[in-house]
Amino acid sequence: VGAIEIEPTIRPEIAQLVNNLKQKGIKHLMIVSGDHKKPTHQLAKKLGITEYFAEVLPENKAQIVSELQQQGRKVCFIGDGINDTIAMKQADVSISLKGASTIATDTADIILMNGDLTHLYPLFNIAGGLDNIMKKSAILVLVPTGIILIGSISFHLGLLAAVVIKQSFLGANILYVLKSAKEQS
């Protein structure tokens, strides 16, 4: 009589990644797995993740993502198999790894080419920095438009003054983006 017990292994970078994401303020980390409940529970416990779903069919993974989005959450789904692709398609951002199934890498918005998740935390930092740059850049585009509209209606602002205002803010925007890009690298 013999028995084979298969236990899911934790990727070596995952524990540190989970801690980094929690420190970054990401409150809702969860495991959505097609595996049985007991190993999924043990995995979640080892990683300090309180929310997990086990024995989930592929279409139900997408339903979980959809429910989170309906709650107003932005969802990043990390998957590597054919069973993850529906949920990856539903998520706001999907991530896969080099070496994952072809359909997972074809579906993913982002593919981590080194084959592990060590670059995920810096990726979130880059995304956060880009988000800040985009918000400030949008302000630098919208403010001169407002100034020009108010100025032309209230103060009979001429075309030359409007062009000077718009170009000044455009220059400031370009300098801001270049400065921010230099700081990011």
Side-chain angles (χ1 to χ4, degrees):
V1 176
I4 298 175
E5 183 176 338
I6 299 174
E7 182 177 316
T9 57
I10 299 176
R11 299 175 69 95
E13 72 274 13
I14 295 296
Q16 183 63 44
L17 174 64
V18 168
N19 288 333
N20 288 344
L21 293 174
K22 285 180 178 180
Q23 287 176 354
K24 187 166 183 59
I26 297 176
K27 297 174 187 161
H28 302 284
L29 296 171
M30 60 180 56
I31 297 172
V32 180
S33 176
D35 292 338
H36 294 289
K37 187 173 182 173
K38 185 178 178 183
T40 304
H41 171 73
Q42 290 173 341
L43 179 65
K45 188 175 178 181
K46 283 182 186 176
L47 294 174
I49 296 176
T50 56
E51 296 179 81
Y52 67 91
F53 297 88
E55 301 177 6
V56 181
L57 297 173
E59 58 272 11
N60 294 342
K61 289 181 181 183
Q63 182 62 37
I64 291 168
V65 170
S66 179
E67 288 170 7
L68 292 169
Q69 290 170 327
Q70 289 171 5
Q71 295 171 11
R73 297 182 186 178
K74 297 291 182 191
V75 178
C76 175
F77 193 95
I78 302 169
D80 63 354
I82 191 168
N83 292 334
D84 298 323
T85 55
I86 299 171
M88 291 171 70
K89 193 90 169 144
Q90 176 68 40
D92 296 295
V93 176
S94 58
I95 298 174
S96 193
L97 309 169
K98 179 181 177 186
S101 71
T102 303
I103 194 164
T105 55
D106 287 349
T107 303
D109 297 315
I110 299 167
I111 302 169
L112 299 174
M113 296 304 291
N114 65 346
D116 65 38
L117 296 169
T118 55
H119 292 299
L120 189 59
Y121 184 70
L123 180 66
F124 277 108
N125 288 336
I126 291 168
L130 179 60
D131 188 49
N132 288 336
I133 290 170
M134 294 299 292
K135 286 176 183 174
K136 290 177 182 172
S137 187
I139 290 169
L140 288 171
V141 169
L142 295 175
V143 166
T145 303
I147 291 171
I148 292 168
L149 283 173
I150 292 169
S152 63
I153 293 169
S154 301
F155 305 110
H156 303 292
L157 186 69
L159 180 61
L160 180 59
V163 169
V164 168
I165 291 170
K166 190 71 171 172
Q167 294 302 80
S168 297
F169 275 88
L170 177 62
N173 194 7
I174 290 170
L175 291 175
Y176 171 73
V177 170
L178 290 174
K179 179 181 173 240
S180 297
K182 188 174 182 179
E183 290 172 357
Q184 290 276 332
S185 59

